[in-house]
Amino acid sequence: MAGRPVLEPTAQHPITVTPTGRHVTVRVNGTVIAETDDALTLRESNYPAVQYIPLRDVTESALVCSDTATYCPYKGDAAYYHVNAAGETVEDAIWTYAQPYPAVAAIAGHVAFYPDKAEITVD
């Protein structure tokens, strides 16, 4: 991680993580892949809010580790999963921060789904 910038949220780039407080269902190719009452909502600057689902509430058998990795200076190193659903593999549909930076530590053990690769319903 040497040489990578590490940034803290600011008034100009705020980040909050709060309990969603509602039931969240995630479908991929019409198949329910995750369901939880324990999601967290991450709001970052002007980006759309993201639902982070506890990994324990995701269908483990549908996940395949990906070689994709990215870096966010506010959150840390992200790893990815492909999702097998309805006989198809949706590549890099999920990302997770195994060891997120302290400002977003609450998302450890959680995953997020790309909204263009999954249907995320908050009821």
Side-chain angles (χ1 to χ4, degrees):
M1 200 169 6
R4 288 185 175 173
V6 176
L7 302 177
E8 291 286 326
T10 65
Q12 292 74 35
H13 192 102
I15 299 176
T16 60
V17 179
T18 56
T20 301
R22 295 164 61 193
H23 189 77
V24 178
T25 305
V26 181
R27 289 178 178 80
V28 175
N29 291 337
T31 302
V32 174
I33 298 298
E35 249 187 305
T36 189
D37 291 322
D38 297 320
L40 299 173
T41 301
L42 184 143
R43 289 182 175 82
E44 179 176 0
S45 189
N46 295 323
Y47 300 111
V50 175
Q51 296 301 311
Y52 277 82
I53 311 296
L55 187 55
R56 70 175 183 271
D57 294 332
V58 179
T59 303
E60 186 178 351
S61 62
L63 304 182
V64 178
C65 288
S66 168
D67 290 333
T68 302
T70 60
Y71 177 74
C72 172
Y74 292 97
K75 296 186 235 38
D77 291 303
Y80 290 74
Y81 289 98
H82 307 309
V83 175
N84 289 326
E88 294 181 23
T89 298
V90 179
E91 295 198 2
D92 295 333
I94 296 174
W95 74 90
T96 185
Y97 294 92
Q99 296 179 341
Y101 290 153
V104 295
I107 65 172
H110 291 67
V111 300
F113 291 78
Y114 280 102
D116 62 335
K117 298 181 180 189
E119 176 189 344
I120 304 158
T121 307
V122 181
D123 295 321

